[in-house]
Amino acid sequence: MTHTEYSQGTDNVLADPGLDDAEELPAKTILAVKLNELIDKRGLSQTEAARLTDMTQPKVSQIRRYKLRNISLERLMQALMSLDQDVEVVVRPARRAHGAAIKVTA
């Protein structure tokens, strides 16, 4: 029997493998889910969604497939506003000293 060593992970499973945007990725994903829901609900093609959100069709395609590395939180928020959604950002002290985070609720 061999002995295997494991390293202790963090509270953020996206940060553990070293993803550059690990802190933003959960927030981006929630915004992308909402954006995709709106596109589906309105029956928009990627080209129509791109025109309405002032993005390119390839960018919309990336969002549709949740490929969010080259898309900023700001861009996702702007796209939601283009589809008549209010986006609210709240800043408050972190509940834990080392627990500051970006949190999105949709």
Side-chain angles (χ1 to χ4, degrees), residues 14-79:
L14 299 171
D16 291 342
L19 295 176
D20 292 337
D21 58 350
E23 296 299 322
E24 290 183 349
L25 198 52
K28 286 180 178 183
T29 301
I30 292 169
L31 295 175
V33 166
K34 185 63 177 177
L35 190 55
N36 283 329
E37 286 174 353
L38 290 166
I39 291 169
D40 291 340
K41 183 177 178 182
R42 296 180 185 198
L44 299 173
S45 68
Q46 289 185 13
T47 303
E48 292 167 328
R51 183 180 45 79
L52 289 172
T53 60
D54 197 31
M55 286 193 281
T56 63
Q57 180 277 324
K59 270 300 184 213
V60 172
S61 178
Q62 285 181 305
I63 294 168
R64 298 291 282 167
R65 295 179 290 118
Y66 298 97
K67 305 291 185 189
L68 304 173
R69 293 196 100 176
N70 297 318
I71 299 171
S72 68
L73 276 169
E74 180 181 9
R75 188 66 200 100
L76 290 166
M77 290 187 283
Q78 288 173 343

